[in-house]
Amino acid sequence: MTNPRELVKNVANIFSLPDIYFRISQLIDDPACTSAKLAEVIAYDPGLTVRVLKLANGVYYGRSQRVETVAQAVTLIGTRDLRHLVLATSTAQAFRNITSAIIDMDAFWQHSVCCALAARVLATHCQPQHRERSFVAGLLHDVGQLVMVHQIPDVAWKILGRLAETGGERYLLEQEELGFTHADVGAELLKSWELPASLWEPVECHHTPLEAKLFPVDTALVHIGNAVANTMNLETRTSDPADVAYRMDARAWPICGQNETVLEEVALEVHAQWFGVFEVIWPGSSLIY
C-alpha cells in the first residue's frame, strides 16, 4: 500500500508551482525589493498580470477607482498578500492539465473558491492581517483529492462509489480504505513545495481542527469555511446554519473566537465575490458562460 509521501513524490514533476512564484517570493524576501521591481517581474508573465489586475479591480478588494497598472496593484495588495494571491492563482494553473473522468474540475474549484472566500471573511473578524493566508489555505484544502484521482484512480473511484451508496464523510472512507486521507496528501504536496506550516497544517487538519498544534485559528477558519462551502446555495445567497453545524465540529468556533451568528454575513460575501474570483482562479470554465 502506498502512502501520501510516495503519491506526492510520483507527481513532483507533474504538479509543480511555476518559476514565477518562486521568483516573486525571492524578491519579496529581499529587503531591497521595491514595488516597481515586483511589477516588472509580474509583467513578464501576461497571464499572471491579467489575474493580478482582475483581482485588484474586482469586488475582492472593493475598489471604486480603476487599477490600471501592475505597479498600482502591487501597492494596493501589498507584498505579503501579493505572495499569497500569486500562490493561489499559480496553484490552480499547476493543475490545469489534469484530466479525469472521476472528478468535475469546475465543481472542484468552485467549492475550493467558496471555502477560500468563507475562510477569508471569517478571518477579518479574528486575524485580518492574515486573511489572504486563510484564503490560500481554504483554496488548497482539497488539492490532495486531485493527486489521488491522478495517482490511484481505481481506489478513488471505489471510495466515491461507497460515498454515493452509503453517504458519510469522504475522508473517513479514505482513512478506512487507505490508512490516510486527501488532507494528508494535500499537506504532503504543500510541504514538497516548501510552503509554510501556516498553509499545510490547515490543509492537513481541515476535517479535524482540534488536531492543529501550530496554527489552530487558521485551521478552524478553513474547517468552518469547508462546511459553509459544502452547504452554500449560490442562487439564494444562503447557507443553512443547521446544515453547517451538522457538517462541522462546533468546537472550532471558540478557537477562532466566533459563533454561528456570522454565517449570514459569510454567505452574502461569498455569493458577492465567488464568481469574479472563480473566473480569475479557473478561467475558461463552462460555469463562467
Side-chain angles (χ1 to χ4, degrees):
M1 182 62 68
T2 190
N3 57 64
R5 184 169 297 180
E6 194 66 26
L7 286 181
V8 168
K9 180 181 178 182
N10 290 338
V11 298
N13 294 325
I14 302 173
F15 305 136
S16 59
L17 291 175
D19 291 341
I20 188 69
Y21 167 73
F22 296 104
R23 174 62 176 146
I24 289 172
S25 287
Q26 289 174 349
L27 282 174
I28 290 173
D29 290 335
D30 181 356
C33 174
T34 64
S35 294
K37 182 61 177 178
L38 278 170
E40 179 183 340
V41 172
I42 292 172
Y44 286 130
D45 187 321
L48 180 59
T49 297
V50 170
R51 295 195 295 273
V52 167
L53 286 174
K54 280 186 174 181
L55 283 176
N57 278 296
V59 293
Y60 190 79
Y61 277 100
R63 289 282 293 183
S64 58
Q65 294 181 333
R66 185 78 177 166
V67 177
E68 297 180 343
T69 68
V70 175
Q72 288 177 321
V74 171
T75 300
L76 167 68
I77 295 169
T79 56
R80 180 185 61 203
D81 290 346
L82 178 70
R83 190 203 308 260
H84 286 129
L85 293 179
V86 170
L87 173 60
T89 61
S90 297
T91 300
Q93 294 305 303
F95 291 98
R96 192 73 213 174
N97 295 323
I98 189 172
T99 57
S100 174
I102 301 175
I103 192 166
D104 181 337
M105 294 296 288
D106 287 352
F108 174 89
W109 287 110
Q110 177 180 307
H111 168 79
S112 298
V113 166
C114 285
C115 175
L117 288 171
R120 183 179 189 261
V121 176
L122 290 163
T124 62
H125 293 279
C126 59
Q127 49 178 31
Q129 73 277 22
H130 296 310
R131 61 181 185 168
E132 306 308 343
R133 187 173 79 189
S134 297
F135 175 85
V136 174
L139 186 73
L140 303 183
H141 76 286
D142 275 342
V143 292
Q145 292 182 14
L146 301 182
V147 176
M148 291 173 73
V149 300
H150 185 274
Q151 286 298 106
I152 47 174
D154 292 343
V155 178
W157 183 256
K158 178 181 178 181
I159 290 170
L160 289 176
R162 289 184 59 193
L163 187 63
E165 290 176 3
T166 64
E169 293 285 353
R170 177 174 181 161
Y171 79 98
L172 293 177
L173 295 178
E174 291 169 345
Q175 185 68 47
E176 181 182 330
E177 188 75 30
L178 294 165
F180 58 86
T181 74
H182 66 272
D184 300 317
V185 177
E188 198 62 44
L189 179 67
L190 270 56
K191 291 176 185 178
S192 76
W193 287 347
E194 299 183 354
L195 298 182
S198 57
L199 294 177
W200 63 252
E201 187 180 55
V203 169
E204 185 174 55
C205 301
H206 73 268
H207 290 296
T208 53
L210 271 66
E211 294 182 6
K213 305 301 181 186
L214 302 173
F215 293 90
V217 174
D218 296 73
T219 304
L221 298 177
V222 175
H223 175 71
I224 299 168
N226 185 46
V228 170
N230 278 323
T231 61
M232 185 72 193
N233 186 322
L234 292 170
E235 293 184 1
T236 63
R237 310 184 187 186
T238 59
S239 180
D240 183 2
D243 202 2
V244 173
Y246 176 75
R247 291 173 176 266
M248 63 169 281
D249 188 330
R251 293 173 293 179
W253 284 119
I255 293 175
C256 60
Q258 300 178 71
N259 58 58
E260 62 277 2
T261 60
V262 302
L263 289 176
E264 182 178 357
E265 175 196 347
V266 172
L268 289 173
E269 286 295 317
V270 170
H271 180 273
Q273 298 181 32
W274 87 267
F275 186 83
V277 176
F278 178 76
E279 186 180 21
V280 174
I281 298 295
W282 195 243
S285 165
S286 60
L287 295 177
I288 295 172
Y289 301 102

